[in-house]
Each structure stands twice: as C-alpha cells, then as structure tokens.
C-alpha cells in the first residue's frame, strides 16, 4: 500500500484541522523558504532569487537543509507541518509534490497562474507535478537532467580521449584515466548519488523503452530481467573506478576533484555545472559536458518546484509575489544560467546560456518531441518516494558490496518495489 506522508505524523492532521499556524515566524513581507541548495554553485543561484525578492521589498528567511535529492529536507518539512507551522515555500521534486498535495496542506496558486498564463508556457511533463486536481500548487523554477558526465578537459587531453559515445568507449576512457594515476570517477557514496548513476546505466543498457518499463511503469518483468542484471554488473564495474575515500562524500566535493584535475569525470546532474561555473571554469576550455554515453537523444529530467503551503492570509501576498518572481522569464534566465539547469518555461531565449546550457535546452526540446523525456528515478520523478527509497536501498547496498551478485540484486529489487507499492 502506498504510504502517505502524514500517516507518519498523526499530529499534523490535528494541528491542521484547528488551523494552528504559529504566528510571528514569518511576517507579512517575509517568505520563509525550505531548500537543500547549500553547495557553492547552488548558493550562488539562490542568491539570484533572494536578490530579486529583496528588490521587491520581500525579506528572505532562509531554511537550508543539506542533502541532494532532498531526503533530509523532506524529513524536516514533515516535522514543520506536524507542528502546524509550515514554511511559506518548499523546494520539492516530482512525486513528493503530489504526495503533499494529497494531504490538503498546500496553497492554491490558480488565480495568479491564470493571470500569468502559466498553462501556455510550462511543458506538460512539468505541469504533471505542478498541478493537483487541476489546480496550480507549485512554481517550477528549472529543469535539470541526470544523464550527464562532467569531465576535466586537461585530463581528457592528457590521456588522449575524446568524450565517449557508448558504454565500451566510457570504460576505455576510464581505464586510461586510471592508468595515468588519477581517480577515474569522482563519486560520493550517498544513496541518492548512487541512484543518480543508476538512472543513466539503466537508460544506456536498456534504452528508453526499458527505462520507462522498469523505472516508471515499475513492471516486475523489466525489473527482474537479464537487462537489469547487466545494469547491476555495470554498476559494479563503475565502482572499480572510484577512489577509496568515496563513502559519504558530498557531491560537490566530488565535483571539486574534477575541477582540480585530481579526477577525470563525474556522472552527475547538471547542477554540477553550477560548481564549475562558481569556480570560474569555462565549458569547452576547462571542462566538458556530454550526455552519459549511449543515452544521447534521451533526457532523464527533474524539475525543482517551489510548493506553496497554506500559511494564512497575512503571509499570502508575499507568497504569491514569490511564485510570480519565480515564473518571470527574465528571472528564469538569470537563475538557470547560474544553477546549471534550464528554464521551466518554453518561451525563454537561450542567448544568455553557455554551450552546455544551450545543449541542455535543445536536448530537452528534442527528447520531448520524440517521447524520450523521462522522469529521473533518483530525483523523484519516476515513482513515489516509497518506491524510490526502496530502490535506493538495493542500489546502494549492491554498490557497496552488500549484495553478493547481480542476480541477487535483481531479485531484491523486484521484491522491494513490490513491497513499497
Ligand atoms: C536538485 C538540484 C540540486 C541537487 C543537489 C537535486 O535533487 O534538483 O537542484 O542541486 O539535488 O543538491
């Protein structure tokens, strides 16, 4: 059975029923925003939003909760809603948005969305998560994608490899970097990072139809197939290119290893670009971005959306201002240039974006047109959190050698996904 968020927090139902928002936490001209943008690049992007709001006379009350993928942030949010004191807005991904909407605790943005014409400019794939019961409940700030590799250009030149275009080419490139005495693959051993690699390995191994069947439709046959065994074999193979200090490492520290030339590449969503840019590095000169080999033409996306919570009349005007600021085309350009993502609106020019950003925008458009735009499992856009977390457990356990074989990993994956639904 699908586990609902508030089932874990019975108290919340009580406090909401009596409408007990604790007054005085955020005032009329303030917005309190819960997010997990704590790395250098993320903080720089967030600064663009804060500045925009300050210009409108709105004060930003920051509520950062570190942890990519937002797992810890969602735990903190549950506690806040339970105590009847939700933040004004919360950074959120995919199915988590719908789960919260189902609890009846989010605000209705329909009036301002209609006035702003959001329906016409936000792609359907995003609207699936921005709306609940036909009503807008979230403002999408970007579109990221997970099937990317970020490589140090000098390292690639030193070992004489061009960006690979298929799995064998990737392995050959990693071998050369390793042979040169460098860390071939910069990685942080955290479940969401292991799962981020998994997105791409599923896609390159089985193709888009297999990705849809296994990660989105959760088809037991696809999850238990020989193709999925190969996926786990390949995860184990990638594990052999990671340095011994990888457990627990934050993703941005892995990016820093590539930035400094200690490591060759990192498999990571395009928020990694924010770290390179923040370090003053230029695409094409200092680093190279390319689609995970064998996934060209497809995009596994995730969109950061700001979900507005029911906060009471006195805080409502600032909340609506925040939503409108996020949806402004100029803001979407300025913010996403820094963040590494692309705009959530289709009517924003790519003029201000670097080559990686331009490619991301084009890839997104083409993938959507050819039905190869698919939600990222690792970042909550392919299945609800209960299923995602069940997958995380098996993927991470296997990556760390806790599951003896790919056969056993596949058996556990099928069972874990079934139990989580
Ligand atoms: C978010 C990104 C964020 C990344 C790492 C992803 O889930 O969508 O905005 O930069 O996590 O924190």
């Amino acid at each position: 059975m699908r586990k609902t968020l508030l089932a874990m927090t019975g108290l919340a139902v009580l406090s909401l029923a009596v409408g007990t928002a604790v007054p005085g936490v955020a005032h009329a001209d303030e917005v309190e925003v819960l997010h997990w943008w704590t790395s250098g690049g993320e903080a720089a992007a967030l600064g663009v939003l804060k500045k925009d709001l300050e210009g409108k006379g709105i004060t930003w009350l920051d509520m950062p909760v570190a942890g990519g993928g937002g797992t810890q942030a969602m735990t903190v949010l549950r506690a806040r809603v339970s105590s009847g004191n939700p933040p004004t807005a919360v950074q959120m991904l995919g199915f988590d948005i719908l789960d919260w909407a189902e609890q009846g605790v989010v605000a209705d943005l329909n009036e301002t969305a209609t006035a702003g014409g959001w329906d016409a400019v936000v792609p359907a794939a995003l609207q699936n998560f921005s709306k609940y019961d036909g009503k807008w409940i979230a403002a999408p700030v970007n579109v990221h994608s997970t099937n990317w590799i970020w490589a140090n250009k000098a390292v690639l030149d030193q070992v004489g490899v061009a960006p690979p275009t298929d799995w064998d080419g990737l392995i050959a490139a990693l071998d050369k970097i390793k042979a040169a005495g460098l860390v071939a693959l910069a990685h942080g051993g955290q479940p969401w990072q292991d799962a981020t690699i998994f997105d791409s390995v599923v896609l390159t191994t089985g193709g888009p139809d297999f990705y849809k069947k296994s990660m989105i439709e959760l088809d037991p046959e696809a999850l238990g197939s020989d193709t999925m065994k190969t996926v786990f074999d390949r995860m184990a193979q990638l594990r052999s290119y990671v340095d011994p200090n990888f457990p627990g490492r934050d993703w941005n520290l892995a990016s820093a290893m590539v930035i400094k030339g200690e490591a060759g590449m990192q498999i990571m969503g395009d928020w990694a670009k924010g770290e390179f840019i923040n370090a003053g590095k230029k695409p094409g000169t200092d680093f190279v971005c390319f689609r995970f080999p064998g996934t060209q033409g497809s995009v596994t996306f995730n969109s950061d959306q700001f979900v507005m919570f029911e906060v009471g009349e006195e805080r409502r005007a600032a909340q609506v201002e925040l939503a409108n600021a996020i949806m402004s085309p100029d803001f979407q350009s300025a913010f996403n240039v820094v963040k590494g993502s692309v705009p959530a609106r289709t009517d924003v020019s790519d003029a201000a974006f670097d080559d990686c950003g331009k490619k991301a925008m084009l890839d997104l458009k083409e993938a959507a047109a050819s039905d190869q735009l698919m939600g990222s499992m690792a970042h909550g856009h392919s299945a609800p959190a209960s299923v995602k977390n069940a997958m995380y457990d098996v993927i991470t356990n296997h990556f760390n050698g806790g599951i003896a074989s790919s056969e056993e990993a596949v058996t556990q994956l099928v069972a874990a996904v079934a139990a989580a639904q």
Side-chain angles (χ1 to χ4, degrees):
M1 242 209 20
R2 180 157 165 188
K3 297 174 186 78
T4 55
L5 293 162
L6 291 187
M8 300 171 221
T9 55
L11 235 189
V13 178
L14 193 65
S15 57
L16 287 162
V18 291
T20 53
V22 175
V25 174
H27 299 286
D29 53 355
E30 290 173 342
V31 287
E32 190 195 16
V33 185
L34 195 159
H35 63 88
W36 62 93
W37 286 337
T38 54
S39 78
E42 290 172 332
L46 197 66
V48 178
L49 180 55
K50 288 182 189 168
K51 214 166 145 223
D52 188 288
L53 287 171
E54 269 164 33
K56 296 178 164 73
I58 295 174
T59 307
W60 180 278
L61 295 184
D62 206 31
M63 197 175 175
V65 181
T71 310
Q72 289 90 320
M74 291 304 102
T75 305
V76 171
L77 175 63
R78 271 195 291 279
R80 285 290 302 266
V81 177
S82 302
S83 62
N85 179 28
T88 316
V90 180
Q91 177 195 357
M92 222 183 271
L93 297 173
F95 280 87
D96 286 342
I97 303 177
L98 304 180
D99 276 347
W100 278 106
E102 203 177 318
Q103 310 305 319
V105 292
V106 301
D108 179 351
L109 291 173
N110 244 17
E111 202 180 312
T112 200
T114 306
W118 299 2
D119 273 299
V121 293
V122 175
L126 266 56
Q127 286 194 31
N128 288 340
F129 298 109
S130 329
K131 284 176 162 180
Y132 184 76
D133 241 355
K135 287 196 187 108
W136 283 89
I137 50 161
V141 69
N142 65 9
V143 188
H144 271 302
S145 54
T146 58
N147 58 322
W148 284 111
I149 293 190
W150 307 89
N152 181 298
K153 175 123 188 348
V155 170
L156 292 194
D157 291 349
Q158 182 199 328
V159 301
V161 297
T165 54
D166 59 15
W167 176 262
D168 291 343
L170 172 64
I171 296 302
L174 290 168
D175 279 336
K176 283 194 177 164
I177 300 168
K178 195 172 172 180
L182 297 167
V183 177
L185 200 57
H187 180 61
Q190 296 172 346
W192 75 270
Q193 293 189 60
D194 302 338
T196 300
I197 297 185
F198 195 80
D199 273 1
S200 289
V201 178
V202 170
L203 187 54
T204 193
T205 307
D209 287 342
F210 179 74
Y211 184 94
K212 285 180 201 164
K213 275 240 165 304
S214 57
M215 299 292 103
I216 298 173
E217 294 163 24
L218 309 175
D219 173 37
E221 252 179 58
L223 290 167
S225 63
D226 284 347
T227 307
M228 195 56 85
K229 274 186 214 153
T230 307
V231 169
F232 280 103
D233 287 345
R234 289 178 163 186
M235 289 297 289
Q237 210 176 345
L238 290 179
R239 167 77 174 76
S240 70
Y241 296 105
V242 162
D243 70 309
N245 296 327
F246 85 100
R249 176 189 286 140
D250 286 333
W251 68 274
N252 52 315
L253 299 182
S255 305
M257 291 167 67
V258 179
I259 291 171
K260 289 187 213 144
E262 296 165 5
M265 33 178 115
Q266 180 183 22
I267 301 164
M268 189 44 67
D270 39 15
W271 46 93
K273 194 185 80 179
E275 294 305 298
F276 285 82
I277 302 292
N278 195 47
K281 303 297 179 191
K282 302 259 173 303
T285 309
D286 304 307
F287 69 95
V288 215
C289 61
F290 51 95
R291 288 292 173 186
F292 189 97
T295 72
Q296 299 90 329
S298 296
V299 168
T300 42
F301 81 97
N302 59 296
S303 163
D304 292 301
Q305 307 215 18
F306 281 94
V307 179
M308 306 296 159
F309 277 72
E310 278 293 358
V311 287
E313 266 318 301
E314 72 290 354
R315 288 159 64 191
R316 179 77 182 149
Q319 184 179 56
V320 171
E321 277 260 36
L322 170 64
N324 287 333
I326 288 170
M327 292 307 293
S328 132
D330 286 348
F331 167 75
Q332 292 245 339
S333 177
F335 173 86
N336 286 302
V337 159
V338 180
K339 183 67 173 66
S341 37
V342 303
R345 299 178 61 115
T346 50
D347 61 345
V348 178
S349 154
D350 70 359
F353 288 79
D354 59 32
D355 287 350
C356 296
K358 284 189 169 67
K359 175 172 167 51
M361 284 171 87
L362 189 65
D363 287 355
L364 186 65
K365 208 167 142 191
E366 289 181 354
S370 62
D371 199 21
Q372 294 187 63
L373 175 62
M374 296 160 288
S376 154
M377 179 280 294
H379 294 266
H381 281 68
S382 82
S386 52
V387 172
K388 180 190 80 173
N389 291 330
M391 287 200 189
Y392 272 20
D393 285 348
V394 179
I395 294 163
T396 289
N397 203 359
H398 171 265
F399 198 72
N400 289 291
I403 299 178
S405 66
S406 299
E407 281 76 14
E408 179 54 22
V410 161
T411 306
Q412 289 195 19
L413 187 69
V414 173
V417 169
Q421 288 180 82

